[in-house]
Amino acid sequence: RILNLVKPRQLILIHGNAGPTQQLHEYCHTSKDMSINQVWSPSVGDTVDATCESHIFQARLKDSLVTGLKFTSAKDMELAWVDARVHVSQSDLGAAIGLQTVPTLDILPL
């Protein structure tokens, strides 16, 4: 029931018993109520590549945004959360016709 409300497009099933996990995996694949594109139920130690290249965007970061980032270490990476808005200037709009535009991320006003 929760999955029908959330309607995820991708789902990774972990920390369950093999039988019920497999049943849920099959249900998600066959149910007409679900619109899940990918379902994974990896074993311990498996690696899942759940990247979705269609959702990769490029944007310039304003200096005011970058200087306020607070990075956190996560394994061998540094991560920061960004609350920003996309800004497309008039010059960017003109360049958009040739698909050469890169929008700018700016700090959200408080």
Side-chain angles (χ1 to χ4, degrees):
R1 183 171 178 198
I2 292 172
L3 288 174
N4 285 333
L5 293 173
V6 176
K7 298 196 184 300
R9 284 183 252 156
Q10 297 183 354
L11 184 63
I12 302 173
L13 303 171
I14 59 170
H15 294 292
N17 294 328
T21 298
Q22 187 59 33
Q23 288 175 346
L24 182 56
H25 185 112
E26 290 173 15
Y27 171 77
C28 291
H29 267 303
T30 59
S31 174
K32 292 180 186 344
D33 296 330
M34 305 292 283
S35 59
I36 298 177
N37 297 331
Q38 293 284 337
V39 180
W40 294 273
S41 49
S43 299
V44 174
D46 286 354
T47 301
V48 173
D49 181 2
T51 58
C52 185
E53 292 181 16
S54 65
H55 293 90
I56 296 174
F57 300 96
Q58 183 179 22
R60 287 186 288 258
L61 303 178
K62 286 202 168 186
D63 288 339
S64 57
L65 180 67
V66 174
T67 56
L69 292 177
K70 292 179 176 55
F71 286 91
T72 302
S73 293
K75 293 192 179 186
D76 59 346
M77 294 179 261
E78 294 278 320
L79 304 173
W81 182 264
V82 176
D83 283 319
R85 66 177 172 188
V86 176
H87 175 75
V88 180
S89 70
Q90 289 300 323
S91 61
D92 288 339
L93 287 173
I97 296 169
L99 301 175
Q100 298 298 318
T101 184
V102 177
T104 303
L105 286 182
D106 197 4
I107 297 172
L108 282 174
L110 296 176

